[in-house]
């Protein structure tokens, strides 16, 4: 029986000589992406907060690929100082072929980053914005390099509260998560427009994993009890990694968005995915870009498209 048409990890070509940064690489989708890239011959920098967990992940990958070229890159996206330090270390690499922005948090209690930002917006979007912006000069040194930004099905219900970006007035875990994932979609949309207008050699694309059974839902509380009953309907972490792998290694159209092709994009092989109208709105995207510069103090240096 032939498999459905679409992209899976068996379609990832040889990656020898290339170098990838994968954020949140010690578990879940980030781990699976790192595993596949390493087995295809790539050098993979596992950008994680916890060195012990990163080393455990590298050991697990080396069990499957003894010669894997792996390295730990200290990174805490809840601290812009840590982001800057990670960029300084990464810039020492001879080349970087792709930055895979996979790290994120989902529905925690109200928490703040080191700089005082609401955690979900701060980590999922502002940390990604800062890391990407600071790495752009290094990425531009390699023709055909890519920036991959991970969004979510949840972006479709997302609305950005411009009057309360930092959750000083109110906080809803799910609404803030959806807003942060809309911000991810808007970021790669606007980044692509500006990179192309500037004639940059860097390509920006987006992806989402569908509904994957990973540790990201650790804050779901009692709802976690339902996960064993729903796992048959969800992607595994390995399956959820397929859209990220497609966005990172396959022929892509700049600015495209990739995700599962199964029912309602929940699971299945990867292909082109759909976005909400807000996620493709240039006015909202430009407003978010300007707000992100103001909040982080980091300017990617790309003029409006």
């Amino acid at each position: 029986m032939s498999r459905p048409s679409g992209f899976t990890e068996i379609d990832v070509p040889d990656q020898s000589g290339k170098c990838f940064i994968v954020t949140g690489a010690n578990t879940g989708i980030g781990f699976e992406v790192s595993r596949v890239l390493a087995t295809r011959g790539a050098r993979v920098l596992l950008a994680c907060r916890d060195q012990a967990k990163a080393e455990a992940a590298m050991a697990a990958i080396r069990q499957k690929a003894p010669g894997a070229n792996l390295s730990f890159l200290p990174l805490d996206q809840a601290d812009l100082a840590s982001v800057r330090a990670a960029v300084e270390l990464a810039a020492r690499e001879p080349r970087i072929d792709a930055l895979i922005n996979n790290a994120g948090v989902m529905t925690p209690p109200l928490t703040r980053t080191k700089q005082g930002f609401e955690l979900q917006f701060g980590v999922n979007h502002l940390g990604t914005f800062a890391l990407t912006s600071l790495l752009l000069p290094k990425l531009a040194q390699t023709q055909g390099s890519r920036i991959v930004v991970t969004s979510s099905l949840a972006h479709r219900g997302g609305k950005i509260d411009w009057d309360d970006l930092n959750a000083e007035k109110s906080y809803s875990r799910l609404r803030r998560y959806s807003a942060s994932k809309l911000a991810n979609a808007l970021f790669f949309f606007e980044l692509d427009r500006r990179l192309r207008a500037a004639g940059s050699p860097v390509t920006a694309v987006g992806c989402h994993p569908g509904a994957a059974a990973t540790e990201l839902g650790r804050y779901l509380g009692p709802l976690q009890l339902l996960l064993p009953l729903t796992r048959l309907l969800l992607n595994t972490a390995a399956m959820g990694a397929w859209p990220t792998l497609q966005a990172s290694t396959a022929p892509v159209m700049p600015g495209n968005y990739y995700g599962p092709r199964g029912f309602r994009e929940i699971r299945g092989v990867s292909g082109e995915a759909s976005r909400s109208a807000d996620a493709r709105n240039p006015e909202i995207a430009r407003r978010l870009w300007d707000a992100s510069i103001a909040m982080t103090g980091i300017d990617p240096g790309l003029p409006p498209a």
Side-chain angles (χ1 to χ4, degrees):
M1 181 182 295
S2 62
R3 66 183 178 88
S5 176
F7 190 95
T8 75
E9 71 176 74
I10 68 172
D11 298 303
V12 176
D14 181 77
Q15 299 297 308
S16 297
K18 293 185 177 181
C19 178
F20 294 78
I21 297 174
V22 183
T23 67
N26 63 280
T27 189
I29 290 167
F31 172 82
E32 298 295 343
V33 169
S34 301
R35 172 186 61 81
V36 174
L37 293 173
T39 58
R40 297 299 193 277
R43 172 166 169 75
V44 183
L45 307 184
L46 285 79
C48 312
R49 288 181 299 165
D50 190 303
Q51 183 170 357
K53 290 181 179 180
E55 289 177 347
M58 290 188 286
I61 292 171
R62 288 192 174 109
Q63 287 182 347
K64 303 174 185 293
N69 186 351
L70 306 167
S71 185
F72 168 56
L73 180 64
L75 172 68
D76 180 358
Q77 286 192 194
D79 182 359
L80 294 180
S82 175
V83 173
R84 290 183 182 276
V87 170
E88 289 182 10
L89 288 173
R92 299 175 188 174
E93 294 289 321
R95 61 186 289 157
I96 298 175
D97 292 84
L99 167 62
I100 300 174
N101 289 297
N102 165 78
V105 293
M106 179 180 177
T107 64
L110 178 59
T111 314
R112 302 214 174 265
T113 69
K114 185 75 171 180
Q115 284 71 37
F117 306 127
E118 184 273 313
L119 189 69
Q120 295 189 89
F121 191 73
V123 169
N124 297 356
H125 171 61
L126 294 177
T128 294
F129 177 88
L131 180 65
T132 300
S133 300
L134 293 170
L135 271 175
L136 268 177
K138 180 65 180 181
L139 285 158
Q141 294 172 10
T142 301
Q143 188 68 34
S145 61
R146 298 185 190 182
I147 295 163
V148 179
V149 179
T150 305
S151 184
S152 164
L153 289 169
H155 91 271
R156 295 175 183 169
K159 296 291 180 184
I160 295 175
D161 186 346
W162 299 106
D163 295 325
D164 192 23
L165 279 177
N166 209 28
E168 302 287 352
K169 301 175 183 177
S170 66
Y171 181 70
S172 161
R173 299 184 188 195
L174 287 172
R175 284 201 296 269
R176 293 285 171 173
Y177 177 71
S178 295
S180 74
K181 293 288 102 180
L182 173 59
N184 288 147
L186 286 163
F187 175 47
F188 85 78
F189 170 74
E190 184 67 8
L191 180 61
D192 165 65
R193 283 162 31 87
R194 292 181 183 237
L195 288 172
R196 284 201 265 180
S200 173
V202 183
T203 294
V205 292
C207 63
H208 78 86
T214 71
E215 290 185 9
L216 195 60
R218 65 177 68 91
Y219 294 112
L220 290 177
L223 291 178
Q224 290 190 77
L225 298 175
L226 299 177
L227 286 178
L229 302 177
T230 59
R231 285 186 188 277
L232 291 177
L233 301 176
L234 304 181
N235 270 340
T236 62
M239 294 167 66
W242 295 345
T244 306
L245 290 166
Q246 181 176 20
S248 306
T249 68
V252 295
M253 288 290 293
N256 261 20
Y257 186 48
Y258 299 91
R261 298 187 63 184
F263 176 69
R264 300 182 69 86
E265 298 185 15
I266 289 173
R267 60 175 286 148
V269 298
S270 180
E272 292 192 21
S274 59
R275 281 174 277 177
S276 69
D278 278 357
R280 293 174 282 110
N281 185 314
E283 293 183 7
I284 300 175
R286 189 179 305 113
R287 185 175 184 182
L288 178 66
W289 186 277
D290 292 341
S292 302
I293 292 173
M295 294 176 79
T296 64
I298 297 170
D299 189 339
L302 294 170

